[in-house]
Amino acid sequence: MKNLLSILEDLHPDVDFETCNTLIDDGIIDSFDIVLARKGLVNGFDSSSEKLSADVDQSGEYNVSDAVLIQKFVLGQIKEFPVAEKTTDTAAMEK
């Protein structure tokens, strides 16, 4: 069974998926962004702006939840990204 990246590479042989970051470059969230999101989980991002853009729930960090939200958005299961509730570290505030 082929993974999503292999399928996309077969469908779009002219696209260099190693440098593709459509989430940042074109403002359109599509299947290429799913690939970028998954690659970001495994290998990290090349820049802090990529990581910030991938943090679609605005939690302050990029994680699996963001990748799942990007996939759900592309598949049409959600129409907008929910904003994560930010936690406050009260112990740090007391110092």
Side-chain angles (χ1 to χ4, degrees):
M1 178 178 240
K2 286 187 166 188
N3 64 25
L4 178 61
L5 180 58
S6 297
I7 293 168
L8 289 173
E9 288 173 335
D10 289 345
L11 291 172
H12 304 283
D14 55 322
V15 175
D16 180 4
F17 288 94
E18 293 302 314
T19 61
C20 180
N21 58 0
T22 57
L23 182 65
I24 293 89
D25 289 341
D26 67 4
I28 299 169
I29 301 172
D30 55 21
S31 57
F32 296 110
D33 298 306
I34 295 173
V35 173
L36 179 65
R38 291 182 179 178
K39 285 174 64 175
L41 284 174
V42 175
N43 301 322
F45 291 99
D46 293 335
S47 71
S48 58
S49 64
E50 287 180 355
K51 186 175 181 180
L52 183 64
S53 295
D55 179 21
V56 294
D57 67 3
Q58 302 172 29
S59 67
E61 64 180 60
Y62 175 70
N63 54 36
V64 173
S65 298
D66 294 296
V68 169
L69 288 171
I70 292 168
Q71 182 170 324
K72 285 183 174 187
F73 185 88
V74 170
L75 295 174
Q77 295 173 345
I78 60 173
K79 300 279 185 213
E80 59 186 35
F81 296 113
V83 176
E85 193 172 309
K86 295 184 180 180
T87 58
T88 304
D89 185 358
T90 54
M93 293 172 62
E94 293 174 1
K95 292 181 180 178

